[in-house]
Amino acid sequence: MTDAKALVAAFADRLERRDWDGLAELLDPDVVYELPQTRERIRGRDRYVQFNAEYPGDWHVEPRVVLGDDHDGSLLFRWRLDDEDLLAIAFFEVADGRITKVTDFWPEPYEPPTGREHLVERW
Amino acid sequence: MTDAKALVAAFADRLERRDWDGLAELLDPDVVYELPQTRERIRGRDRYVQFNAEYPGDWHVEPRVVLGDDHDGSLLFRWRLDDEDLLAIAFFEVADGRITKVTDFWPEPYEPPTGREHLVERW
């Protein structure tokens, strides 16, 4: 797999199947994982795979959109864990057929600001 | 412009320049804008352009990653508004050279859960 789209699709599939060896094959040994919302960073394939393997609960990753070119990829996915059911996003950087960076976003629900009720509906 | 990548790049550029007529040209008349976090929806090009034109403050959109294929696009961008400075994301659907759907995500900072301090660093 040389382009980001194929790597991202395989990433989501192997994560969902808890195929940790298969996941590791997709990752550069020096992969960096970042969570901008919490300002957390994990360095290295071993620690990043361990982070996923240790993530508690019966969580599920269901891809909705997978995009990629020679350098970057993106994944929109449905995340389910107990009562949680939300859309989350990851962006990827790839080089030489491996994922070198994962940037993860967990957009949580919030109340809308006022002042735009004349334009919006709620669901 | 027929593919999503070019449409997404133009979308970000015209938004930043407050080129409302130019923005409207990129949008399907029946474009749907959704914010899953607040469960808000705006239907139609006119209302969606108005929503953007009315958005208060001296905000700035700076693209970081633009991806797209024949049907879908994604945009990772830096958003700045007063003290706010965050990475936000939009996904797009396109058809017949126009944007038919925009799904926007505003991931806000939060405190990390405990139990992974052995793997992560903070910044």
Side-chain angles (χ1 to χ4, degrees):
Chain A
M1 276 174 282
T2 54
D3 73 12
K5 183 168 183 166
L7 283 165
V8 171
F11 176 94
D13 176 64
R14 294 176 190 186
L15 202 58
E16 174 63 20
R17 290 192 289 106
R18 276 71 171 161
D19 174 6
W20 307 124
D21 291 342
L23 186 69
E25 286 170 9
L26 305 173
L27 303 172
D28 187 272
D30 297 320
V31 65
V32 173
Y33 174 70
E34 288 188 351
L35 285 156
Q37 291 168 273
T38 58
R39 297 177 180 271
E40 289 175 290
R41 181 185 294 119
I42 296 173
R43 292 181 190 273
R45 176 169 59 195
D46 295 347
R47 274 198 291 272
Y48 181 47
V49 172
Q50 185 183 345
F51 170 78
N52 284 290
E54 289 181 2
Y55 204 99
D58 182 29
W59 47 265
H60 292 281
V61 168
E62 187 186 303
R64 291 292 179 88
V65 180
V66 178
L67 291 167
D69 60 18
D70 292 345
H71 305 99
D72 294 281
S74 62
L75 173 68
L76 175 65
F77 61 101
R78 182 182 176 192
W79 166 267
R80 284 178 297 129
L81 170 58
D82 301 329
D83 292 338
E84 261 188 300
D85 188 341
L86 55 81
L87 293 173
I89 301 108
F91 278 81
F92 299 81
E93 294 177 19
V94 307
D96 299 325
R98 296 272 174 82
I99 294 168
T100 57
K101 188 166 183 191
V102 183
T103 308
D104 229 359
F105 297 95
W106 300 93
E108 301 197 316
Y110 63 89
E111 282 304 301
T114 56
R116 56 206 204 190
E117 300 83 354
H118 56 303
L119 299 170
V120 308
E121 59 187 74
R122 303 290 302 278
W123 84 82
Chain B
M1 278 175 281
T2 54
D3 72 13
K5 185 169 183 166
L7 284 165
V8 171
F11 175 94
D13 177 65
R14 295 178 190 183
L15 202 57
E16 173 63 21
R17 290 192 289 107
R18 277 69 171 163
D19 174 6
W20 306 124
D21 291 342
L23 186 69
E25 286 170 10
L26 305 173
L27 304 172
D28 187 272
D30 297 318
V31 64
V32 173
Y33 173 71
E34 287 188 352
L35 284 157
Q37 292 169 272
T38 57
R39 296 176 182 271
E40 289 174 289
R41 181 184 295 119
I42 295 173
R43 292 181 190 273
R45 178 168 59 196
D46 294 347
R47 271 197 293 270
Y48 180 48
V49 171
Q50 186 183 347
F51 170 78
N52 284 290
E54 289 181 1
Y55 204 96
D58 182 29
W59 47 265
H60 293 283
V61 168
E62 186 185 305
R64 291 292 179 89
V65 181
V66 178
L67 291 167
D69 60 17
D70 292 346
H71 305 100
D72 293 281
S74 63
L75 174 67
L76 175 66
F77 61 101
R78 182 182 177 193
W79 166 266
R80 284 179 297 130
L81 171 57
D82 301 329
D83 292 341
E84 260 188 300
D85 187 341
L86 54 81
L87 293 173
I89 302 107
F91 278 82
F92 299 81
E93 294 176 18
V94 307
D96 300 325
R98 297 272 173 83
I99 294 168
T100 57
K101 188 168 182 190
V102 183
T103 308
D104 228 358
F105 297 95
W106 300 93
E108 300 198 317
Y110 63 91
E111 283 304 301
T114 58
R116 57 205 203 191
E117 301 82 353
H118 57 304
L119 299 171
V120 307
E121 58 187 74
R122 304 289 302 279
W123 82 81

